[in-house]
Amino acid sequence: CEMSEEYRESAPKGPPPPRLGTGDQKCVKCKEGLPVVVIRAGDAFCRDCFKALYVHKFRAMLGKSRLIFPGEKVLLAWSGGPSSSSMVWQVLEGLSRDSAKRLRFVPGVVYIDEGAACGQSPEDRARTLAEVKLALQTTGFPWHAVALEEVFSLPPSALRCSAQEAAGTEGAYKAAVDSFLQQQHALGTNGVERQSQHCAQDPQSPTGPPTTAQTQALSRLFDSVKTLTAKEELLQTLRTHLILHVARNHGYSKVMTGDSCTRLAIKLMTSLALGRGAFLAWDTGFSDERHGDVVVVRPMREHTLKEVAFYNRLFAVPSICTPALDTKAPEKASIHRLMEAFILRLQAQFPSTVSTVYRTSEKLVKAPRAGCAAGPRCLLCMCTLDVDTADSATAFGAQTSHLPQMQTPVTQARAAAGPCCCAGMGGAPGCCKREDPRAQVMEQLCYGCRVNMKDLPSLELLPPYILSEAQLRSQRATAEQEIREYLLGDSEDEAGTGES
Amino acid sequence: MAAPLSVEVEFGGGAELLFDGVKKHQVTLPGQEEPWDIRSLLVWIKKNLLKERPELFIQGDSVRPGILVLVNDADWELLGELDYQLQDQDSVLFISTLHGG
């Protein structure tokens, strides 16, 4: 036994040790400890070295990005699942460290109760919520437990992308760190205490349970969706809107989500399949600035799900298992499910699959198509619209061409309203409403969201904030178009008179 | 002839939903000709513990990709995976990392 140890020490870069029945194998890092987990294709780590690596990865992710300013309010999006629980735990640990290594932002936690969308019974929901609240209270952070039903009382402004904050430059970060340190110094140890007190002080009481009508409306909406794929996407959209609304309402400027490297690899492939290729960099990158004032950050994106599961097990990180939309669903039930099975099966045979896909996502650059940067945003996913009339010759164009095009809402409206109202042709319902609400929503969506909404037979079931914002935007577009035509006509006239 | 073994089988991460929501199972594996390994344990679980949708837990002769196996809190990859020979009083844990459990 000792002999083999010496041999391995003298040749640390040798071939990986045989994997079968190796009771005498040692940790690749410290060469002493008994290994408990194999990560990164064959590297065996002992408990302590694994913990050190795990914690380091989390802190390095936050540190090297220089995105989270000291003293900044950060909202942790916690679903109860393993990755987000591990993230909350990392923040808890990071805040309890000695001052030099202490994380310096001010966290809060948000939990979205999706029970109604997933068809949970009221009793099960109540039980889960009680468990959730208990877990939230033990963190000592301010917390917000919000039912997904609240989307029915969101204001249309939730869909507006607020003006971009001054981009966090290197200099700004340094200045913020310096001023924070000065503050801390002036306050002495008192400041630290006060800060932690503040954390424990005002646990935001949740805004009452949802009304039965809202719960019914939500289940009606989800029941109406024809495919599990579209349900998953809709849930994700509504959840994001709600989390951002909570963040804005309570002055959080960052939201942290627990997406792991495995999940992001799956998400990348799923997004491609869903026609969201143009937005991969936002959907899977470390930071997502599409919402302007609130930036979404993914600090767990270097951790694989295996590492998360092992860490949570070895260090007793509590998590709450709640059934999701796809619980017990067969492998081919949705694109999400299928892609997950595909990636994981490939990973089982080729252990670098996830990391290869994930590295690809890291290299993607956030650059919208030329001339589209300031263009209109998708109503649902808030990405810069990727639909273009110039694409009409492609398959992509063919799929979207039957929808009214973004560029010509006025002519569309006129064409629809003209013959209908004047000649009373067809007597289509809502002919005097200027435009069909479905078209009104559809024309403001990106390609991926359009395809998705095809599986929603009646958009009227969507929460009111989406419909009214769609109407508002469409009216604004019409008005703008009219003004532009007026101005254009004017200048043409002028040009004409000038010439003659 | 291998003697009967007493082992603890545990499910987590949502895998327990396929076992009536019960996480911990104290089981006795009967004596048999061949020694008990994980491969034969999986067959036994499928026959005796699994309540529904076996394809969501077992694929081929192994667990479905995305389900982790820990023997006495150590990665089964260190122990020979399916070929690990079970000892009396071992604890075997299956954690699902799949979405929705």
Side-chain angles (χ1 to χ4, degrees):
Chain A
C1 199
E2 274 186 318
M3 284 296 283
S4 68
E5 242 185 87
E6 274 180 36
Y7 169 74
R8 213 162 280 146
E9 270 182 29
S10 62
K13 292 281 173 201
R19 286 163 77 179
L20 207 124
T22 45
D24 59 341
Q25 205 176 321
K26 297 288 179 218
C27 166
V28 291
K29 185 94 180 160
C30 65
K31 315 272 191 278
E32 279 174 9
L34 188 71
V36 291
V37 54
V38 177
I39 53 174
R40 295 196 304 226
D43 286 352
F45 278 74
C46 71
R47 193 185 141 98
D48 291 342
C49 293
F50 171 62
K51 183 177 185 181
L53 176 86
Y54 193 93
V55 173
H56 171 76
K57 271 204 232 180
F58 181 81
R59 301 181 63 90
M61 201 66 197
L62 292 180
K64 78 178 177 200
S65 66
R66 303 200 147 194
L67 219 67
I68 313 280
F69 284 36
E72 189 170 12
K73 278 182 85 180
V74 174
L75 187 61
L76 310 172
W78 178 65
S79 68
S83 302
S84 57
S85 300
S86 213
M87 174 178 75
V88 172
W89 192 261
Q90 288 298 310
V91 173
L92 261 176
E93 284 223 318
L95 287 171
S96 64
R97 284 207 168 190
D98 50 40
S99 55
K101 287 183 170 174
R102 186 201 295 269
L103 291 176
R104 290 175 295 199
F105 55 83
V106 183
V109 186
V110 62
Y111 172 83
I112 307 288
D113 168 17
E114 297 162 6
C118 302
Q120 255 188 304
S121 70
E123 298 77 39
D124 283 346
R125 282 184 78 179
R127 203 174 313 128
T128 310
L129 202 61
E131 216 180 319
V132 160
K133 284 181 185 167
L134 194 69
L136 286 169
Q137 265 151 17
T138 48
T139 63
F141 297 151
W143 53 271
H144 318 267
V146 186
L148 190 64
E149 282 92 330
E150 300 247 331
V151 291
F152 285 96
S153 36
L154 280 184
S157 62
L159 293 174
R160 268 164 239 159
C161 169
S162 315
Q164 198 104 14
E165 240 181 23
T169 55
E170 200 84 328
Y173 180 81
K174 273 199 166 158
V177 173
D178 287 346
S179 77
F180 178 80
L181 287 178
Q182 267 171 17
Q183 246 180 52
Q184 289 282 300
H185 192 69
L187 291 168
T189 45
N190 254 348
V192 176
E193 262 169 40
R194 200 179 306 161
Q195 205 183 18
S196 55
Q197 260 174 20
H198 171 76
C199 280
Q201 186 188 49
D202 51 16
Q204 309 285 334
S205 60
T207 45
T211 63
T212 328
Q214 283 182 332
T215 307
Q216 279 171 353
L218 195 68
S219 346
R220 235 192 338 266
L221 170 63
F222 276 87
D223 287 344
S224 80
V225 183
K226 287 192 283 188
T227 58
L228 186 59
T229 303
K231 271 186 208 184
E232 293 273 7
E233 287 296 296
L234 179 66
L235 176 60
Q236 152 116 9
T237 304
L238 297 181
R239 185 201 296 132
T240 309
H241 292 165
L242 202 50
I243 290 176
L244 281 166
H245 180 71
V246 172
R248 289 193 177 116
N249 259 4
H250 295 90
Y252 294 96
S253 45
K254 297 277 183 329
V255 171
M256 279 189 188
T257 64
D259 301 279
S260 63
C261 150
T262 315
R263 280 276 153 253
L264 286 173
I266 295 167
K267 191 174 182 184
L268 183 124
M269 299 300 286
T270 309
S271 294
L272 273 176
L274 290 172
R276 299 190 48 82
F279 314 125
L280 286 184
W282 287 269
D283 284 351
T284 62
F286 171 68
S287 66
D288 177 355
E289 301 88 354
R290 83 181 76 162
H291 305 288
D293 54 343
V294 179
V295 177
V296 178
V297 186
R298 307 186 173 97
M300 298 295 289
R301 71 192 298 273
E302 289 270 353
H303 299 78
T304 64
L305 271 180
K306 181 176 180 180
E307 289 166 34
V308 170
F310 265 88
Y311 186 89
N312 289 2
R313 170 74 187 181
L314 293 175
F315 302 101
V317 178
S319 58
I320 296 171
C321 178
T322 46
L325 273 177
D326 56 357
T327 294
K328 290 192 197 173
E331 224 169 72
K332 290 174 185 160
S334 69
I335 292 181
H336 305 78
R337 199 78 192 181
L338 190 62
M339 213 48 101
E340 179 185 45
F342 170 66
I343 293 273
L344 293 179
R345 193 163 305 150
L346 213 55
Q347 170 78 12
Q349 293 161 41
F350 306 96
S352 318
T353 303
V354 165
S355 61
T356 307
V357 176
Y358 161 76
R359 295 285 162 222
T360 311
S361 80
E362 227 177 14
K363 292 183 187 108
L364 296 168
V365 179
K366 290 175 197 142
R369 295 208 297 204
C372 289
R377 304 285 189 122
C378 172
L379 185 68
L380 292 180
C381 73
M382 324 267 200
C383 285
T384 308
L385 281 187
D386 58 346
V387 281
D388 187 352
T389 32
D391 277 339
S392 56
T394 61
F396 170 90
Q399 284 199 45
T400 49
S401 61
H402 66 279
L403 296 164
Q405 293 301 330
M406 193 62 200
Q407 279 75 5
T408 55
V410 181
T411 37
Q412 284 286 339
R414 277 185 192 155
C420 179
C421 288
C422 300
M425 207 173 76
C431 68
C432 293
K433 267 203 267 167
R434 289 180 69 96
E435 253 188 285
D436 165 30
R438 184 173 186 91
Q440 218 170 43
V441 172
M442 285 300 222
E443 70 182 13
Q444 297 179 46
L445 301 182
C446 68
Y447 174 70
C449 290
R450 279 186 189 187
V451 172
N452 216 37
M453 283 298 128
K454 277 188 191 163
D455 289 334
L456 261 82
S458 48
L459 296 186
E460 298 83 67
L461 294 178
L462 284 173
Y465 73 102
I466 296 180
L467 298 174
S468 32
E469 176 68 8
Q471 199 179 357
L472 220 77
R473 284 193 198 182
S474 148
Q475 281 165 359
R476 196 178 307 137
T478 313
E480 272 173 17
Q481 183 78 17
E482 270 166 6
I483 291 171
R484 201 171 307 132
E485 274 177 6
Y486 176 73
L487 290 176
L488 199 70
D490 243 23
S491 63
E492 265 171 5
D493 279 357
E494 273 169 29
T497 47
E499 253 179 43
S500 59
Chain B
M1 175 84 185
L5 296 176
S6 170
V7 293
E8 187 188 73
V9 178
E10 193 181 340
F11 303 96
E16 69 272 16
L17 296 172
L18 300 172
F19 298 86
D20 268 351
V22 182
K23 287 192 168 181
K24 283 192 183 183
H25 302 253
Q26 196 65 48
V27 301
T28 308
L29 303 172
Q32 59 169 25
E33 286 298 315
E34 301 286 310
W36 281 99
D37 54 16
I38 302 282
R39 190 179 280 110
S40 48
L41 174 69
L42 286 175
V43 176
W44 187 90
I45 286 176
K46 188 174 174 181
K47 210 182 287 173
N48 296 284
L49 291 182
L50 201 51
K51 300 291 183 210
E52 54 179 320
R53 300 174 208 233
E55 74 281 3
L56 294 185
F57 186 71
I58 290 180
Q59 278 179 15
D61 65 348
S62 189
V63 288
R64 183 174 169 206
I67 295 179
L68 304 172
V69 186
L70 284 77
V71 180
N72 302 325
D73 269 349
D75 195 344
W76 75 331
E77 287 185 40
L78 293 161
L79 303 164
E81 305 192 9
L82 289 170
D83 295 319
Y84 171 76
Q85 287 196 8
L86 287 166
Q87 316 288 318
D88 198 38
Q89 303 304 322
D90 268 352
S91 87
V92 184
L93 165 65
F94 298 91
I95 305 179
S96 171
T97 64
L98 293 150
H99 194 256

